[in-house]
Amino acid sequence: MDGDLVLLERRGAVALLTIHRPKALNALDRQVLTVLAQRLDEVAADRSVRAVVLTGSGDKSFVAGADIGEMAQLTPEQALAFALAGQAILSKIEQMPKPVIAAVNGYALGGGTELALACDVILASTRAKFGLPEVTLGVIPGFGGTQRLARLIGRNAARRWVLSGDVFPAEEALRLGVAHELHAPETLLDAAVALADRMGQRGPVAVAQAKGAIVRGEDLPLNEALELEAAAFAQCFRSSDQREGMTAFLEKRPAKFTGE
Ligand code: CAA
């Protein structure tokens, strides 16, 4: 069944999405991308989901890239459509008003690194491998790699990755701030779910506003980005979460957020 290509499990308020195409190291073909988009829409719309963890099936690979067999025969026009479609799906992650954590459990190459870069946090296994090897195939990253990586680590470091196509160990991803934390393979998923759960317990309206302010503010001049932040801050004061969060602090009790 198509739906099995991206498994959806619940761990309390956390939705765990597992890309499940193990025979191809979870490479993203059109079917996987279509189901991934559906799953992302599903968890975005489900009010009981407060945070998402995205991982790959098996212990070898997160996602080994876009499907090379499918891309091999694309015309330039089809390649443009493929890149735009992939970018739109990854943008769903960035635009989702909930935290999305990538648990990178193995190879995250090409579209795999790009998918992780669209997430809010990257936790990686000590065995993870990152890289944008597209130039070894005679193409360039097409799912946002040249842009998100350069914005994250700076264009010099990004050029080192993109122009060589080299594959980097998890430690290098950590050093450059691509990965936030490294974990032993057997504890990675629990660590990702625990972090997602913690984020999910914060005020959902505030978390959504904070994520939106960071993502939307990134490309604006500072003065405009600060205006955007002030507007998002004010927006929180329209929520019962704000009243609950502050009242709970003053009453010395844990807050019970509703996301309203
Ligand atoms: N697309 C299609 N199939 C893939 C794949 C991919 N990206 N990555 C792996 N597979 C398939 C292999 O073809 C192989 O299938 P068969 O068993 O049917 O032969 C299976 O997965 C297992 O792979 P390997 O036998 O190659 O496993 P390995 O342990 O020897 O090597 C690897 C692992 C280093 C990840 C290697 O598979 C590899 O280099 N994969 C390609 C990585 C890559 O170049 N990714 C970038 C793709 S381009 C892209 O993503 C463009 C974009 O930005 C949108």
Side-chain angles (χ1 to χ4, degrees), residues 2-191:
D2 273 8
D4 294 343
L5 292 170
V6 182
L7 307 172
L8 169 56
E9 275 172 67
R10 287 297 292 270
R11 304 269 176 102
V14 176
L16 172 60
L17 295 181
T18 305
I19 298 180
H20 182 61
R21 198 186 164 213
K23 284 189 182 143
L25 301 182
N26 307 319
L28 303 171
D29 65 3
R30 281 199 187 82
Q31 269 181 308
V32 174
L33 284 167
T34 302
V35 179
L36 177 61
Q38 287 164 357
R39 293 297 200 201
L40 290 170
D41 288 344
E42 221 172 300
V43 297
D46 185 339
R47 289 177 56 85
S48 70
V49 171
R50 294 275 181 95
V52 180
V53 172
L54 184 60
T55 193
S57 198
D59 56 9
K60 187 169 169 185
S61 182
F62 173 67
V63 165
D67 189 283
I68 298 168
E70 257 191 15
M71 285 184 297
Q73 303 302 328
L74 294 182
T75 64
E77 293 73 22
Q78 289 168 332
L80 175 65
F82 182 68
L84 291 173
Q87 288 174 1
I89 293 167
L90 270 54
S91 292
K92 281 179 186 287
I93 295 174
E94 219 164 44
Q95 283 154 19
M96 191 187 305
K98 305 177 185 191
V100 182
I101 295 178
V104 176
N105 52 312
Y107 287 114
L109 300 181
T113 280
E114 294 174 299
L115 181 61
L117 286 170
C119 296
D120 300 302
V121 177
I122 299 179
L123 302 191
S125 137
T126 47
R127 283 211 294 259
K129 300 234 184 299
F130 292 81
L132 294 169
E134 283 86 347
V135 290
T136 69
L137 301 165
V139 297
I140 72 162
F143 289 177
T146 60
Q147 303 309 308
R148 288 203 180 89
L149 188 67
R151 279 166 170 73
L152 180 65
I153 66 176
R155 63 179 184 169
N156 269 7
R159 280 191 291 226
R160 169 72 183 86
W161 279 42
V162 174
L163 303 188
S164 70
D166 285 348
V167 173
F168 297 94
E171 291 75 18
E172 181 66 358
L174 181 71
R175 188 183 73 78
L176 288 169
V178 172
H180 291 82
E181 294 171 16
L182 302 192
H183 292 270
E186 54 281 3
T187 59
L188 172 68
L189 199 56
D190 284 348

